[in-house]
Amino acid sequence: GTESKHRRRGGDLKTGSTELGSAVTGSPLTAVLPASTTGKKSTVLSGETRKELAKQAKVTKEERRAQIDERQKYLISRLADGIGLSEQQVEEAIISDDKFQLIEQFFAPSGLKKLLFFYQDVLQQKSNASLRSDGSTNSLLQKKLFITMGSTENFTGTCAFFLRTSDKVITASNVSQEVNFGVFDCINGNILQGLEFFLSQIMIPALKSQQNWGAVKEGLKNSQIQDFLYSVDKFVGTLSSSRQNIEDKIQLTKVDIDIYVSNLQNPSDYITAG
């Protein structure tokens, strides 16, 4: 039903070597080498080196695939459902990610409080692109799901987040109780609009349907709870007003000034025109 959907979507958000990390994530095929070795910041990898890195990346992915247990499967299932991908697509993205170890850190006792995934357009190398003479490759924008700390990449698409509710170790038996999941859509890079939708359409309905408020026995009838919900409603209203003001900002249009200056011949004409 609608309530279960709100609860599901709006819940309480390198590998060892640089070369291998680049190969796993599909980043440009260059490696940073010590300055004492090359005298330059980077060098183009040889064909044999690229083959070796691709081989290592494949081994790493299969090792990670073998590590997937019921905890990871739960995350994969929620991500696939929330973002609209198949579980196979999500699994492939996760085991190919150079921040794969953050998942285990999230499961650990007193581990990471949040685990973030961005799904958005990123610049990726074409699979059949060959290196140009200057070492660059052909690239294009493609949708990609990747793990992030949320502080290094610009957020322009969809953020799927997992939040811990305690410091307990996350196990296969408690993952569904100890981890909350939510999705935040940044429509066309408009974060304010995404936040407004998330709060007004997901979080507020979920809060207003919440029956158990912990130590507060009266629940929604409690004056503090009512004040809190009023404040959230007021914030969303302020957010909506601010967003509309920004969107209605003055738009400058290009004006062809030739018709105004075509008859100006000397300095005195410009002075008169001014």
Side-chain angles (χ1 to χ4, degrees), residues 81-188:
D81 185 38
I83 295 177
L85 297 174
S86 70
E87 293 189 5
Q88 290 75 19
Q89 288 174 308
V90 174
E91 178 181 306
E92 188 67 21
I94 287 176
I95 63 174
S96 302
D97 201 293
D98 63 350
K99 294 185 177 67
F100 178 82
Q101 75 279 3
L102 292 182
I103 298 177
E104 195 59 39
Q105 293 177 24
F106 179 72
F107 290 150
S110 300
L112 294 175
K113 299 299 183 184
K114 63 183 180 182
L115 184 63
L116 305 180
F117 293 80
F118 283 178
Y119 180 61
Q120 60 193 30
D121 286 329
V122 296
L123 201 61
Q124 298 189 68
Q125 177 191 326
K126 292 181 180 178
S127 58
N128 60 350
S130 57
L131 286 173
R132 297 175 180 172
S133 58
D134 61 358
S136 63
T137 57
N138 293 320
S139 56
L140 72 165
L141 285 174
Q142 287 184 333
K143 288 280 189 182
K144 182 180 179 182
L145 175 67
F146 57 94
I147 305 170
T148 177
M149 293 299 290
S151 57
T152 55
E153 297 90 0
N154 291 329
F155 175 38
T156 60
T158 299
C159 174
F161 56 87
F162 295 92
L163 303 175
R164 295 171 57 109
T165 61
S166 74
D167 288 332
K168 297 178 182 178
V169 59
I170 304 301
T171 66
S173 59
N174 72 10
V175 62
S176 60
Q177 289 78 39
E178 297 297 330
V179 174
N180 290 324
F181 173 66
V183 175
F184 175 59
D185 288 313
C186 177
I187 304 169
N188 297 323

Side-chain angles (χ1 to χ4, degrees), residues 19 40 45-46 96 146 177 207 215 221 229 232 256 269:
E19 295 87 353
K40 299 180 181 179
L45 298 178
S46 67
S96 302
F146 57 94
Q177 289 78 39
L207 289 171
K221 296 180 180 179
L229 293 176
V232 177
D256 185 358
D269 292 336

